[in-house]
Amino acid sequence: MLIGPDGGLHDEVRADIAARGLDHAITLTGPLTSAEIASHAARASFYVQTSHYEGMALSVMEAMQAGLVPVITPAGEIARYTTDGENAVWIPPEASPDDDLATVERILDLIAHPDTWREIRAQGTARLDDMPLYTDDIMAAAADVLNVDGEPA
């Protein structure tokens, strides 16, 4: 499942999926609400993000909090709160086809060994256990700015 806006490549991506015979296995949802994403995440096992440039990558943090094992490039701040093989699966930033194959093999190995997947998942959720979800944190900060009467503090 690929969630997110078109970005102008929808037709090209859809054609590539069809050419590879993967229509049955890949869904392009377009943009979804936070609640819809959370609903899908509750039924997922992995979160994949292959960005070469990131800041804090809040989506990776939220995926970890939701119990997904992130399969990610350690771009930006991601390397500060994830560790390859401990709470995430890192894809080398300049991955070669051999690196990509090795990453796929690591994911398949985690699927074949659910106890290992559960351990990586537990390490990920534990790493961020005391952090609020980003949306909850923003709402709490906004509430702090307002006093009881609803007037700016």
Side-chain angles (χ1 to χ4, degrees):
M1 178 173 295
L2 301 175
I3 300 171
D6 177 345
L9 296 175
H10 181 273
D11 292 340
E12 183 179 331
V13 170
R14 174 59 50 212
D16 191 44
I17 291 169
R20 295 170 187 265
L22 296 172
D23 287 323
H24 68 285
I26 299 175
T27 302
L28 302 177
T29 67
L32 299 176
T33 66
S34 294
E36 291 169 324
I37 292 170
S39 175
H40 288 296
R43 296 185 309 273
S45 299
F46 296 93
Y47 173 80
V48 179
Q49 181 170 309
T50 60
S51 303
H52 290 279
Y53 305 100
E54 281 295 334
M56 190 61 154
L58 295 172
S59 61
V60 174
M61 296 174 82
E62 289 180 340
M64 291 169 69
Q65 289 173 316
L68 303 177
V69 171
V71 179
I72 50 175
T73 49
E77 296 295 310
I78 294 172
R80 295 174 62 90
Y81 57 86
T82 65
T83 302
D84 187 35
E86 181 180 312
N87 60 12
V89 174
W90 282 5
I91 302 167
E94 301 301 325
S96 69
D98 288 339
D99 292 328
D100 291 340
L101 182 57
T103 300
V104 169
E105 288 172 356
R106 289 179 68 195
I107 294 166
L108 291 173
D109 189 60
L110 288 174
I111 292 168
H113 298 93
D115 288 341
T116 305
W117 174 85
R118 280 192 281 281
E119 180 59 30
I120 291 174
R121 176 183 188 262
Q123 291 294 325
T125 55
R127 174 72 172 94
L128 302 175
D129 218 10
D130 61 344
M131 296 183 88
L133 291 175
Y134 179 69
T135 51
D136 294 342
D137 199 32
I138 290 293
M139 294 303 290
D144 286 346
V145 172
L146 300 174
N147 67 22
V148 176
D149 298 327
E151 296 295 322

